[in-house]
Amino acid sequence: MARRLLFIHGAGGDLDDRPLAEEFAETLGMTLDYPVIPPDDMSRAAWAAVIRPAVASLSASDVVIAHSFGASMLMQVLSDDPGIAVRAAVLLAMPDWSPAGWDIAEYDLRDRQPTVPLALHDCRDDEAVPVGHLKLNATRLPQARLYEHAVGGHQFDGEVGSVVGSLGRDLNAGRRNGRRRS
């Protein structure tokens, strides 16, 4: 069975994020699983209804990467259902929804913590989700590995190789925690 990359796109990003997802799949040598989440319902419940079965279908050799709002919604699913087991979650440009961030209670993790290893990535030149959100999320998710990229913008232009290069550490992060800036 071919290894799969489950890529969760950002809000309204089903077209914008597809090239990023395809680049990750190609670089990883994996089959891309790219569920499209309709932009007409931005509720947690609507996104979870698509993400939960996709994540639940992953095997131990599969990888999950989520971008922007999709990363936030993946975190909701993983926090709400600790029975869903994934090796690790790679979260790209994830907004912080706490009062210190964008302050939208429906999307805020509050005190919930997922039980899977996490890797948080953002770029200093991201104009959609300021890099300060990376630091806010890292404070709230102290078990996460932190990667701050100098450039790449919101779409991680030129940084896919760097993210993939860190993936081995992220998949084994359950054994030890660490933080890195690149």
Side-chain angles (χ1 to χ4, degrees):
M1 184 159 134
R3 294 182 336 147
R4 288 185 307 152
L5 165 63
L6 171 61
F7 192 99
I8 308 298
H9 66 76
D14 59 315
L15 296 177
D16 293 340
D17 288 357
R18 184 169 285 279
L20 178 62
E22 290 171 349
E23 185 177 355
F24 270 110
E26 182 179 332
T27 302
L28 289 165
M30 299 178 126
T31 302
L32 178 61
D33 184 358
Y34 191 83
V36 175
I37 305 169
D40 56 340
D41 186 348
M42 295 299 294
S43 71
R44 235 175 78 176
W47 280 66
V50 175
I51 294 171
R52 185 171 283 110
V55 172
S57 73
L58 294 174
S59 73
S61 63
D62 296 333
V63 172
V64 62
I65 298 176
H67 184 240
S68 198
F69 186 77
S72 298
M73 295 300 98
L74 174 64
M75 286 293 294
Q76 297 290 342
V77 168
L78 296 175
S79 296
D80 289 346
D81 190 351
I84 293 179
V86 297
R87 287 179 65 194
V90 177
L91 309 167
L92 308 173
M94 184 174 77
D96 176 79
W97 302 101
S98 74
W102 284 342
D103 196 16
I104 299 179
E106 179 183 6
Y107 306 141
D108 187 15
L109 286 172
R110 293 179 277 288
D111 294 327
R112 296 187 310 257
Q113 296 285 318
T115 58
V116 303
L118 304 171
L120 302 172
H121 291 260
D122 205 351
C123 301
R124 290 184 204 131
D125 63 345
D126 185 340
E127 294 182 7
V129 178
V131 74
H133 285 243
L134 177 69
K135 293 170 179 80
L136 292 170
N137 280 316
T139 299
R140 299 179 74 202
L141 301 165
Q143 79 280 21
R145 295 177 70 87
L146 176 66
Y147 299 89
E148 184 176 316
H149 304 266
V151 297
H154 192 60
Q155 293 299 109
F156 285 77
D157 296 327
E159 289 300 309
V160 168
S162 178
V163 174
V164 168
S166 70
L167 194 56
R169 291 184 298 273
D170 301 334
L171 293 175
N172 295 314
R175 294 190 192 100
R176 65 185 187 284
N177 291 324
R179 295 183 182 251
R180 179 175 174 271
R181 292 187 180 182
S182 59

